[in-house]
């Protein structure tokens, strides 16, 4: 069932210091295959990890999953560059994300694949994925569908800042963008 | 030894969708106290965690540390909003960060506090810290000192993108900004 998305250059919308190449996953959402543990696994494979120096300079993607089989993934809004959410992926979630072009995480609380937005409609179209020097973290530049990414009704999960003068206190810096009860009902996001 | 930085409003430099409040940690770098495990712990304390709903809407900062006592922290450039690096903090690293106004992480490989830039000079002045809905992740908006954050010599650790059409391959999207051998010598960053 491996159908690799076609790549197509898009205009880079954020003012990075260095030239970057950005790609659009081209499969339309309507053709999304179901995402569940029961589906046959995708055929995408990752490279094996060699020594640290090799990983740093490798042009092979060899993501490092932790003892729980997970890698952290931070979703950034591709336009505003606002951090939207941080979640985790296991190998299969990362494969599905690469295949679908939409963010698929692994829910640690439910211990299952989590196609973000499957119930709320607030999917995340993935435009670019970056990894870091030791390939144990991922950045996803996403186009957030719907009013927001957070189950509390905010656009971003990072809606509070720490107060330097009083580190025990938080400041709310975002209003709710949607009513979570209407979007999620009583179901967990 | 608790000396809480004074707060001072600064102009928000990134085009967020929502109004945000940003603060500048005001202590000059020259007054940094030494950072080591041997120092007496700081007096900053965090709130205790209640139920999930309470944490989501709390104005108390009650960060969640994982089984290893760590919380992930992603540093974003406060001007370009480029992701610079992802690292981890234990409670003491977070306290030091709040006290110093510069990023102090916990090195998992060395199992010790890691005042970023202590050897390279590439410190990170922390302008804002955000936490997410369940307070188990941190975003740091930082002013990166020196040419870059990455031990490989790039400005950002996220210098490679995954190729959608060939997920086993990475594209390099950043050049080296400095010679890591000259900055770090043979020492690990």
């Amino acid at each position: 069932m491996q159908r690799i998305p076609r790549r197509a250059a898009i205009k880079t919308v954020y003012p990075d210091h260095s030239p970057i190449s950005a790609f659009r996953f081209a499969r339309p959402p309507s053709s999304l295959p179901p995402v569940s543990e029961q589906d046959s696994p995708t055929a995408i494979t990752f490279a094996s990890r060699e020594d640290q120096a090799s990983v740093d300079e490798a042009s092979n993607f060899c993501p490092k999953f932790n003892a729980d089989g997970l890698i952290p993934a931070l979703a950034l809004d591709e336009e505003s560059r606002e951090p939207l959410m941080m979640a985790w992926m296991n190998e299969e979630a990362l494969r599905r994300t690469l295949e679908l072009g939409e963010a698929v995480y692994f829910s640690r609380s439910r211990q299952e694949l989590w196609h973000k937005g499957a119930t709320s409609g607030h999917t995340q179209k993935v435009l670019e994925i970056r990894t870091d020097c030791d390939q144990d973290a991922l950045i996803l530049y996403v186009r957030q569908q719907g009013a927001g990414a957070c189950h509390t009704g905010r656009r971003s999960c990072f809606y509070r800042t720490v107060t330097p003068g009083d580190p025990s206190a938080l400041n709310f810096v975002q209003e709710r963008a949607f009513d979570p009860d209407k979007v999620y009902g009583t179901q967990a996001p």
Side-chain angles (χ1 to χ4, degrees), chain A:
Chain A
M1 65 180 287
Q2 183 184 24
R3 286 178 292 171
I4 302 292
R6 288 170 290 129
R7 42 190 270 194
I10 60 164
K11 182 175 171 293
T12 298
V13 292
Y14 43 89
D16 210 328
H17 285 306
S18 53
I20 69 158
S21 58
F23 301 92
R24 183 193 297 275
F25 291 80
R27 185 191 296 191
S30 60
S31 67
L32 289 183
V35 173
S36 83
E37 297 287 359
Q38 284 69 49
D39 293 340
S40 55
T42 61
I44 294 173
T45 57
F46 304 116
S48 61
R49 291 175 68 85
E50 310 283 343
D51 57 291
Q52 180 66 45
S54 165
V55 167
D56 287 351
E57 300 302 330
S59 56
N60 290 327
F61 188 32
C62 46
K64 183 177 184 179
F65 298 90
N66 68 13
D68 294 326
L70 302 174
I71 189 170
L74 188 100
L76 301 179
D77 185 293
E78 55 98 15
E79 191 170 33
S80 73
R81 308 182 70 188
E82 176 190 19
L84 292 173
M85 60 182 284
M86 188 180 138
W88 296 77
M89 293 183 175
N90 64 359
E91 274 202 52
E92 188 58 17
L94 178 54
R95 289 194 192 99
R96 303 274 177 174
T97 298
L98 286 162
E99 188 179 70
L100 302 183
E102 295 197 345
V104 178
Y105 302 105
F106 183 80
S107 168
R108 292 176 300 171
S109 57
R110 299 195 302 273
Q111 287 287 303
E112 63 182 18
L113 288 176
W114 167 30
H115 180 188
K116 170 70 180 166
T119 52
S120 65
H122 297 177
T123 53
Q124 296 177 331
K125 185 171 178 59
V126 177
L127 299 191
E128 183 174 299
I129 299 176
R130 293 194 185 195
T131 192
D132 65 349
C133 42
D134 49 1
Q135 300 200 34
D136 64 357
L138 301 173
I139 296 285
L140 278 61
Y141 282 104
V142 305
R143 186 167 297 158
Q144 176 68 52
Q145 305 298 310
C150 185
H151 77 283
T152 67
R154 278 92 174 184
R155 177 157 180 85
S156 163
C157 296
F158 294 93
Y159 50 85
R160 288 171 296 185
T161 62
V162 179
T163 312
D166 180 7
S168 66
L170 296 173
N171 299 301
F172 285 74
V173 292
Q174 273 187 33
E175 301 293 330
R176 279 208 173 83
F178 61 94
D179 182 344
D181 289 339
K182 286 186 180 165
V183 170
Y184 297 111
T186 56
Q187 193 176 17

